[in-house]
Amino acid sequence: MARQDAVKCVRFFLYALNVLFWLMSACILGVAAWIRDSLNAVLTLTAHTRLEEAAVLTFAPVVHPVLVVVCCFLLMVAMLGVCGTLRCDLMMLSWYFGSLLVILCVELASALWTYEQPPVQRSDMISLKLRMSNFGLRQHQWLTHTWNTFQTEFECCGVIYFTDWLEMTEREWPPDSCCSNQYPGCARHAHQHDLSDLHQEGCGPKLLSFIRSSPPLQLLRFLGVTLGVAQILAMALTLMLLWTLHYGRKRPKEQQSSPAPPGGSIIALAHGPPTEHH
């Protein structure tokens, strides 16, 4: 009776962990999709610089197609675990354990890759100024759109300060994406009347902070660590369930295969040797 209760408890925890796998895999895929747009803007602005190399080194593992494949594969593995636990099937549970082990190894490799600090210094931000001269040109509309998107999303202006636009381009005032309250001509009005309406912080420090420790990256790391711990726990519970099911099926077979002592021999031994009658 105690063994049956233990099996029920293990199966319940495995059900809960597999549901957790579904939820966390969906969260990881959502965060990876969320971070991809910002990363594309960063890679566009930092093209052919050391900042681009640092961004690729930091974010490639978390937005790589391998991560998407692993999360999708984990969704199917979780379904396999639920079915194996429900049916108490040794083969399905064995495949479930092996699949979790492979996924865990891939996640560990990805975690070690993302935790490597990129060799970036603050002086590398100055190289971004060289790309400001192409802002507004017809053949560089994609760069113009990226600058406007990045300045709006991160609430920054220029590389170090908004005067970078006046220094590196022929503009008399920054783009309208530098305004805290955007409307057509807002940057011109702010530059002539009230500079406080412009974002006061440059995009260089914001970009450097994004590469080193952005909130989405920290969230992905937290989800990865939590998912890894849950997988280790699921693997331990799966081994316990496999051993219990294997032992429970093996024991009745051993009892059936062991022959019982013949009843006649026991009776004869109880009455002693036969006596002769003359």
Side-chain angles (χ1 to χ4, degrees):
M1 187 67 181
R3 189 179 68 86
Q4 294 179 354
D5 293 338
V7 170
K8 290 180 180 179
C9 184
V10 171
R11 292 175 64 187
F12 172 78
F13 279 112
L14 279 177
Y15 289 142
L17 287 173
N18 283 301
V19 173
L20 182 64
F21 290 158
W22 286 332
L23 295 177
M24 297 194 69
S25 297
C27 289
I28 291 176
L29 291 174
V31 174
W34 170 37
I35 205 175
R36 182 179 288 272
D37 292 336
S38 299
L39 180 60
N40 288 335
V42 169
L43 294 178
T44 301
L45 295 180
T46 60
H48 309 297
T49 64
R50 291 184 61 185
L51 292 174
E52 180 190 24
E53 180 182 352
V56 171
L57 181 63
T58 303
F59 288 95
V62 297
V63 296
H64 199 273
V66 173
L67 178 69
V68 178
V69 173
V70 166
C71 290
C72 295
F73 183 57
L74 183 58
L75 293 173
M76 295 184 290
V77 170
M79 180 66 69
L80 177 65
V82 169
C83 295
T85 305
L86 181 64
R87 300 177 56 183
C88 293
D89 190 291
L90 294 178
M91 182 62 68
M92 295 179 69
L93 290 174
S94 299
W95 276 101
Y96 174 69
F97 176 84
S99 301
L100 285 181
L101 182 61
V102 172
I103 293 175
L104 182 63
C105 292
V106 174
E107 290 171 347
L108 287 176
S110 178
L112 293 176
W113 192 359
T114 55
Y115 270 96
E116 183 179 353
Q117 292 295 329
V120 177
Q121 299 178 357
R122 196 173 183 84
S123 58
D124 295 327
M125 296 186 303
I126 307 301
S127 60
L128 295 177
K129 290 186 176 183
L130 301 177
R131 302 184 61 80
M132 300 177 69
S133 58
N134 295 325
F135 183 89
L137 299 181
R138 180 175 300 178
Q139 61 270 28
H140 294 283
Q141 292 183 357
W142 50 273
L143 183 61
T144 302
H145 174 74
T146 302
W147 267 113
N148 289 329
T149 302
F150 192 87
Q151 291 187 144
T152 301
E153 180 179 351
F154 287 87
E155 298 182 352
C156 57
C157 186
V159 177
I160 304 299
Y161 198 51
F162 73 87
T163 54
D164 294 336
W165 288 109
L166 312 182
E167 175 187 349
M168 302 302 298
T169 64
E170 297 180 356
R171 303 176 61 90
E172 297 181 3
W173 47 80
D176 289 341
S177 56
C178 287
C179 299
S180 55
N181 183 22
Q182 294 185 21
Y183 58 88
C186 63
R188 178 180 181 179
H189 180 271
H191 188 258
Q192 294 177 350
H193 298 89
D194 189 3
L195 294 178
S196 62
D197 291 339
L198 299 175
H199 298 310
Q200 301 300 309
E201 188 174 357
C203 295
K206 294 285 186 76
L207 191 147
L208 191 61
S209 176
F210 177 83
I211 294 176
R212 287 179 173 174
S213 59
S214 63
L217 182 61
Q218 298 297 331
L219 179 59
L220 279 175
R221 287 172 174 171
F222 171 76
L223 290 174
V225 171
T226 306
L227 185 60
V229 173
Q231 286 178 235
I232 294 175
L233 182 59
M235 291 167 62
L237 292 175
T238 304
L239 284 178
M240 293 174 57
L241 185 59
L242 283 171
W243 181 84
T244 305
L245 294 175
H246 178 72
Y247 179 76
R249 295 181 182 182
K250 185 178 180 181
R251 189 174 180 181
K253 294 181 180 179
E254 291 179 351
Q255 292 178 353
Q256 293 177 2
S257 60
S258 58
S265 301
I266 297 177
I267 297 175
L269 291 174
H271 289 282
T275 57
E276 296 181 359
H277 297 282
H278 298 283

